[in-house]
Amino acid sequence: MAASVASCCVSFVNAPLKLQSTVCSPLCFLATSSLTPRAISSSKQNPEKKKRYTRVRDEQGQGDFNNNKEGGGSTQTQRMAFKSSSFGSSSSSQQKKDKKESLPTDLRSDPAKIHDASFLDAVVKVYCTHTAPDYSLPWQKQRQFTSTGSAFMIGDGKLLTNAHCVEHDTQVKVKRRGDDRKYVAKVLVRGVDCDIALLSVESEDFWKGAEPLRLGHLPRLQDSVTVVGYPLGGDTISVTKGVVSRIEVTSYAHGSSDLLGIQIDAAINPGNSGGPAFNDQGECIGVAFQVYRSEETENIGYVIPTTVVSHFLTDYERNGKYTGYPCLGVLLQKLENPALRECLKVPTNEGVLVRRVEPTSDASKVLKEGDVIVSFDDLRVGCEGTVPFRSSERIAFRYLISQKFSGDIVELGIIRRGEQEKVQVVLRPRVHLVPYHIDGGQPSYIIIAGLVFTPLSEPLIEEECEDTIGLKLLTKARYSVARFRGEQIVILSQVLANEVNIGYEDMNNQQVLKFNGTHIRNIHHLAHLIDMCKDKYLVFEFEDNYVAVLEREASNSASLCILKDYGIPSERSADLREPYVDPVDDTQALDQGFGDSPVSNLEIGFDGLVWA
């Protein structure tokens, strides 16, 4: 069985369109944005990575469109036989939870009047030009490509869309329904983990007669939904209808995070991403952002609910920037087995077992392996890791964490060696040893005598392909957590051949562990050690006990020649010219080994364990 979840945005490139069949890894979510074929050439699919956005995003562009079917009672959008690549902006047919003025007529009872509904005028088409970094050659960028998606007005001169619709943007334009003019938009902030972005348009003409949408409430199961956007298959606005199928914590393909999501059966196609979903009263209940593709399933689309949208907007208003969703930083095991609960001295049928605590989380100061969490802010946690949700439902325990903001303090009720205790934990965003996205867009690098060093990241793994990265690096990326804030896995990406590095030309994708006997903490630390070095030789120690030695003065002399020969503007990225600050608070952290359990819920093969 092949399944995938994709973001829906439509992309176009200044190159011949590549017609491809859909190739999706098992159980993947794809963002629904319409992208250019350029995305296909730069993507490396990996069947082992089941739900990671970097893979599924590239797979989107390989033609998931023809698998979409209309939801019950939905208006069918035009289908195209070809498949275009999806990588940038997204247009998925998922609901948005924004509120609009109530319509005098029920849309379900009088669907013919939907074309007159004023809320349709608040939905705009997004045109984005993307220029993504080249992670294999970190001093340059890839060829630009374009994509289209959807967005909608929320008031105060702002538009809301998906983050993957405007990722790595160099230019963003928007066009209103019934208008032939495109207006330049500015990306104010992106929330990568929740896949939401906020845009602004300065032109007053764009806002003339505009009626912004308002955020609505979380819908109920079987409530009718109408998805509005600009998907593939035409130029004008598209409307499809369906019902709410499920509401639960789900995987967000773009952000590799687990947040509340609304599953619907309305058709969502590339280009729908960022478009709103409405209820029968014309209230916006969410943002379309991804779809689920499988040979055994039909009509599964996802909408970002207004609770997530509100969290994103509140975070931005409070801090002047987006700080992200916090986490508890613990790996939890369900306590369904009675013998397990008895062994842990848990008297009731509740609680989850702490199996691992991340060293970078504040929970590491108060929680220990073997503790049982039985309550979160006085709300009891069941033995399956669920908590009460609304009137008669239950939802994953990590939903409570997602309702908090970075810096919030929560009270946990725990059982430790049979004794009941209360502890307080400060929630912070998770620290990733191998990040899913690069802050600032461009990766860090330093070139020493032709040896190119850069931090390991998920985009680099995707670009290089897992086969060339190697099993050891992949294992560390999938099973190791950061031991301290600021830690990175620094690798020798490649060697630019020159007589000064003879014998090392074939080295690539090797982790460098030490420089002149000193353990390397991150790429900035390596640059600092090299700058401070006065020894005759530069000694690099790699994984598998391999050593590379360069003569310092000869290396310095050859550097300018190598940069000129390969057309490289600088021997290091701009961030490495800043003064180095030691990130290690606890010197014992460097002595801790790498972990042996998955770092993401996507890598866990069964539902008995889950990261919170």
Side-chain angles (χ1 to χ4, degrees):
M1 179 192 77
S4 64
V5 181
S7 60
C8 298
C9 71
V10 183
S11 68
F12 309 90
V13 178
N14 298 326
L17 181 64
K18 297 185 179 180
L19 310 184
Q20 301 190 18
S21 61
T22 304
V23 182
C24 299
S25 54
L27 298 177
C28 291
F29 288 94
L30 302 181
T32 53
S33 55
S34 226
L35 300 163
T36 61
R38 172 66 183 88
I40 298 179
S41 61
S42 65
S43 66
K44 306 286 190 298
Q45 296 183 359
N46 188 336
E48 295 179 5
K49 192 165 186 184
K50 298 189 173 164
K51 289 186 182 178
R52 290 198 193 283
Y53 166 73
T54 49
R55 283 175 181 73
V56 295
R57 178 181 64 179
D58 293 336
E59 292 168 352
Q60 309 163 359
Q62 300 182 14
D64 305 308
F65 309 169
N66 64 345
N67 291 335
N68 269 346
K69 298 186 178 179
E70 335 172 76
S74 65
T75 302
Q76 182 174 5
T77 57
Q78 180 180 358
R79 291 186 185 171
M80 308 293 289
F82 63 85
K83 329 257 194 300
S84 69
S85 130
S86 59
F87 171 86
S89 2
S90 65
S91 49
S92 63
S93 70
Q94 297 173 337
Q95 305 168 308
K96 262 196 159 183
K97 287 197 161 188
D98 295 343
K99 226 176 183 182
K100 173 64 173 108
E101 298 180 13
S102 299
L103 298 180
T105 306
D106 189 298
L107 298 180
R108 178 172 49 191
S109 60
D110 195 1
K113 292 190 176 182
I114 193 169
H115 67 279
D116 295 327
S118 59
F119 64 76
L120 294 182
D121 294 333
V123 185
V124 303
K125 188 170 185 177
V126 178
Y127 301 82
C128 185
T129 301
H130 311 260
T131 308
D134 191 326
Y135 296 94
S136 298
L137 305 174
W139 52 86
Q140 67 184 31
K141 290 182 177 289
Q142 301 177 16
R143 180 182 177 184
Q144 73 176 24
F145 62 95
T146 60
S147 69
T148 64
S150 305
F152 62 94
M153 303 173 184
I154 60 171
D156 196 26
K158 304 294 191 302
L159 296 169
L160 207 65
T161 187
N162 284 141
H164 71 266
C165 288
V166 292
E167 186 179 28
H168 305 308
D169 68 287
T170 50
Q171 184 185 67
V172 180
K173 295 179 291 185
V174 294
K175 185 172 72 172
R176 290 185 60 178
R177 178 192 182 202
D179 196 345
D180 61 352
R181 291 171 296 175
K182 296 177 183 177
Y183 298 86
V184 175
K186 178 183 177 182
V187 180
L188 297 178
V189 61
R190 295 182 192 84
V192 174
D193 51 2
C194 61
D195 200 5
I196 301 175
L198 194 63
L199 312 180
S200 67
V201 179
E202 295 183 357
S203 174
E204 295 181 359
D205 292 339
F206 177 81
W207 297 102
K208 286 182 178 178
E211 295 185 17
L213 305 180
R214 294 174 299 169
L215 301 183
H217 298 289
L218 198 65
R220 296 285 179 176
L221 297 182
Q222 293 188 331
D223 280 358
S224 296
V225 291
T226 301
V227 178
V228 181
Y230 292 86
L232 188 71
D235 237 3
T236 58
I237 199 166
S238 170
V239 178
T240 58
K241 283 185 68 68
V243 298
V244 174
S245 307
R246 180 181 293 152
I247 299 176
E248 65 178 2
V249 175
T250 189
S251 295
Y252 279 44
H254 180 68
S256 298
S257 54
D258 297 328
L259 299 172
L260 190 67
I262 303 173
Q263 179 184 319
I264 64 173
D265 67 353
I268 295 180
N269 296 289
N272 271 122
S273 281
F278 299 94
N279 60 19
D280 281 343
Q281 288 71 47
E283 299 171 339
C284 179
I285 59 168
V287 185
F289 76 118
Q290 67 186 24
V291 294
Y292 182 90
R293 310 283 186 188
S294 169
E295 296 174 355
E296 300 180 358
T297 60
E298 294 181 349
N299 304 334
I300 297 181
Y302 292 90
V303 172
I304 302 171
T306 50
T307 52
V308 175
V309 174
S310 297
H311 188 284
F312 166 80
L313 295 175
T314 302
D315 189 352
Y316 177 63
E317 291 172 1
R318 282 185 182 180
N319 304 291
K321 62 179 182 180
Y322 181 68
T323 61
Y325 275 83
C327 75
L328 192 57
V330 294
L331 180 65
L332 302 174
Q333 179 179 337
K334 298 178 181 180
L335 293 182
E336 298 178 87
N337 186 273
L340 179 58
R341 292 196 301 271
E342 183 178 353
C343 177
L344 295 170
K345 300 179 180 179
V346 179
T348 56
N349 186 25
E350 61 183 3
V352 285
L353 175 64
V354 176
R355 295 296 298 133
R356 188 177 183 185
V357 185
E358 291 189 340
T360 55
S361 70
D362 283 71
S364 63
K365 303 173 183 177
V366 295
L367 293 179
K368 300 178 181 179
E369 292 185 14
D371 289 346
V372 176
I373 299 177
V374 294
S375 68
F376 183 97
D377 281 345
D378 293 327
L379 192 63
R380 308 304 291 181
V381 179
C383 65
E384 290 187 334
T386 60
V387 294
F389 179 63
R390 299 202 286 198
S391 58
S392 59
E393 302 173 69
R394 296 190 70 85
I395 198 167
F397 157 62
R398 55 192 185 276
Y399 165 74
L400 298 179
I401 303 173
S402 69
Q403 300 305 294
K404 303 294 184 178
F405 293 88
S406 178
D408 285 355
I409 299 176
V410 299
E411 185 177 71
L412 302 178
I414 65 171
I415 296 177
R416 178 176 296 169
R417 293 185 294 271
E419 299 294 329
Q420 298 269 358
E421 296 184 25
K422 293 279 189 179
V423 296
Q424 291 187 333
V425 179
V426 180
L427 300 179
R428 307 283 185 193
R430 192 178 187 188
V431 176
H432 293 280
L433 178 64
V434 180
Y436 295 104
H437 296 265
I438 304 297
D439 293 335
Q442 203 66 19
S444 304
Y445 74 91
I446 184 171
I447 303 174
I448 303 298
L451 277 65
V452 182
F453 296 97
T454 189
L456 184 65
S457 65
E458 288 296 340
L460 177 60
I461 293 175
E462 175 190 0
E463 196 168 290
E464 284 289 305
C465 188
E466 293 188 354
D467 292 339
T468 61
I469 286 292
L471 182 59
K472 281 194 173 182
L473 281 181
L474 280 177
T475 301
K476 289 186 177 182
R478 302 290 183 265
Y479 289 87
S480 301
V481 297
R483 297 169 291 181
F484 53 88
R485 291 184 178 272
E487 184 181 17
Q488 294 175 327
I489 295 178
V490 181
I491 66 170
L492 172 63
S493 176
Q494 60 178 305
V495 177
L496 308 175
N498 184 272
E499 62 182 18
V500 74
N501 54 46
I502 289 177
Y504 307 139
E505 302 95 328
D506 295 331
M507 294 183 64
N508 65 85
N509 297 327
Q510 297 287 323
Q511 183 184 2
V512 55
L513 302 176
K514 297 180 181 179
F515 173 77
N516 284 4
T518 302
H519 284 279
I520 296 171
R521 297 166 182 171
N522 52 46
I523 186 71
H524 209 156
H525 184 222
L526 174 61
H528 172 73
L529 293 175
I530 293 173
D531 293 341
M532 296 295 103
C533 179
K534 304 299 181 184
D535 297 342
K536 181 178 180 179
Y537 297 106
L538 307 178
V539 182
F540 300 91
E541 297 181 44
F542 296 90
E543 193 76 77
D544 299 327
N545 296 315
Y546 192 84
V547 177
V549 179
L550 300 170
E551 204 277 321
R552 182 170 60 87
E553 293 186 0
S555 299
N556 293 337
S557 301
S559 291
L560 290 178
C561 179
I562 293 174
L563 295 179
K564 181 179 179 181
D565 289 345
Y566 288 89
I568 302 173
S570 176
E571 52 99 22
R572 67 180 66 188
S573 54
D575 60 312
L576 299 188
R577 301 190 188 102
E578 301 294 328
Y580 171 71
V581 178
D582 193 340
V584 180
D585 298 325
D586 185 0
T587 55
Q588 294 181 353
L590 291 173
D591 299 326
Q592 299 176 8
F594 285 95
D596 56 359
S597 60
V599 300
S600 167
N601 291 330
L602 306 179
E603 306 297 337
I604 298 175
F606 67 105
D607 62 359
L609 290 171
V610 64
W611 279 102

